[in-house]
Amino acid sequence: MDTEDMVRGALRDEAARVAVAHWSAGPVRDHVRRQRRRRRVTMGASAVAVALAVVAGTGAVLSAQHGPRALGPASQGPQTLQLPVEPAPEALVVEPGQQLPLGRQDWWMRLKDQEICIHDAPAYGSGPDCGGHSWMPGATEITMQYYGNPPQYHEGLYNLIYQGPGQVARMTLEVDGRAYWATVASLPGNPGYATGYVWGPGSSTPDDPTAYPLQGVRLAAYDAQGTVLASKTLSP
């Protein structure tokens, strides 16, 4: 027996002593898929954790009073954005904690450093409380909250939120092919975010009067020169 034969024999003997796992290729693949699925779910849960689920990739923020409120997963990138034909409303600068009326009785909003707190009449009536929407500083993002207005839910409050660099001068919302200007509000200076609000059509159905619009709603934020700072098309 030459040296090569001796090496081959030794390798075969060593391989025979190796314990083979009971998993076959099929179960291994299933295990890997489960691990990847868990990882995706964990990543989604992390996205939801920031500011009542208001970051890219989330689908809704839960409210005890209203159920899901639409907040959009991103379909980011260059888009053809429709602009309203009427002039945009003047942007507002408000002091921290100042109560900003939203155009309906007992609807108002307050802004803080990294929080938007909305008092919607169906949830709070004429009381002093409001629902907070906060976030951690990070990537440029535009997203939205939606509040249905009972009893018919024919209209709703669309609350747009932009986080990122630049000064927002205008915001637009497109629903069912129609574009609306949102009234922009921000704190003095450059707080790193701006919000906008506009009343638009609701999305109620006979079977679910509290349904919230989401798919196909488009958002955009612009600076004073008309440059798009961020845009998004929401999807389920």
Side-chain angles (χ1 to χ4, degrees):
M1 178 181 297
D2 58 20
T3 303
E4 184 176 349
D5 291 335
M6 292 175 64
V7 171
R8 287 178 178 173
L11 290 175
R12 282 196 297 270
D13 292 342
E14 187 64 27
R17 287 194 294 270
V18 174
V20 180
H22 294 295
W23 285 355
S24 65
V28 169
R29 285 193 296 268
D30 292 340
H31 176 75
V32 171
R33 281 195 292 266
R34 286 195 298 272
Q35 292 293 336
R36 288 176 177 172
R37 193 176 304 117
R38 289 195 193 101
R39 195 173 301 118
R40 286 195 297 268
V41 171
T42 302
M43 292 172 65
S46 299
V48 171
V50 178
L52 295 180
V54 184
V55 292
T58 64
V61 57
L62 300 181
S63 163
Q65 293 86 3
H66 300 288
R69 291 177 181 170
L71 295 156
S75 176
Q76 301 269 31
Q79 302 178 40
T80 303
L81 300 168
Q82 180 180 348
L83 294 178
V85 295
E86 64 273 10
E90 183 179 356
L92 305 174
V93 177
V94 298
E95 295 299 322
Q98 175 184 341
Q99 193 174 110
L100 175 64
L102 296 177
R104 300 292 186 273
Q105 184 176 358
D106 292 326
W107 289 76
W108 47 263
M109 174 169 59
R110 287 180 179 148
L111 305 183
K112 296 184 180 180
D113 184 32
Q114 289 179 1
E115 181 186 38
I116 297 168
C117 198
I118 291 183
H119 175 104
D120 59 305
Y124 301 105
S126 57
D129 298 327
C130 57
H133 164 81
S134 58
W135 58 88
M136 297 292 291
T140 298
E141 166 72 343
I142 185 169
T143 189
M144 185 193 85
Q145 295 187 103
Y146 174 82
Y147 298 79
N149 194 14
Q152 285 80 29
Y153 295 92
H154 291 161
E155 68 169 0
L157 177 72
Y158 295 77
N159 174 224
L160 285 63
I161 304 105
Y162 167 78
Q163 304 158 239
Q167 293 277 8
V168 176
R170 296 181 297 167
M171 285 181 161
T172 57
L173 167 80
E174 186 179 327
V175 182
D176 295 333
R178 179 179 173 184
Y180 301 82
W181 292 116
T183 300
V184 175
S186 62
L187 297 175
N190 189 4
Y193 83 94
T195 186
Y197 65 90
V198 59
W199 289 92
S203 184
S204 62
T205 65
D207 297 328
D208 185 6
T210 62
Y212 298 98
L214 185 61
Q215 185 173 9
V217 175
R218 307 180 75 184
L219 321 171
Y222 311 81
D223 64 14
Q225 289 71 45
T227 302
V228 177
L229 298 174
S231 63
K232 176 185 294 183
T233 299
L234 306 186
S235 57

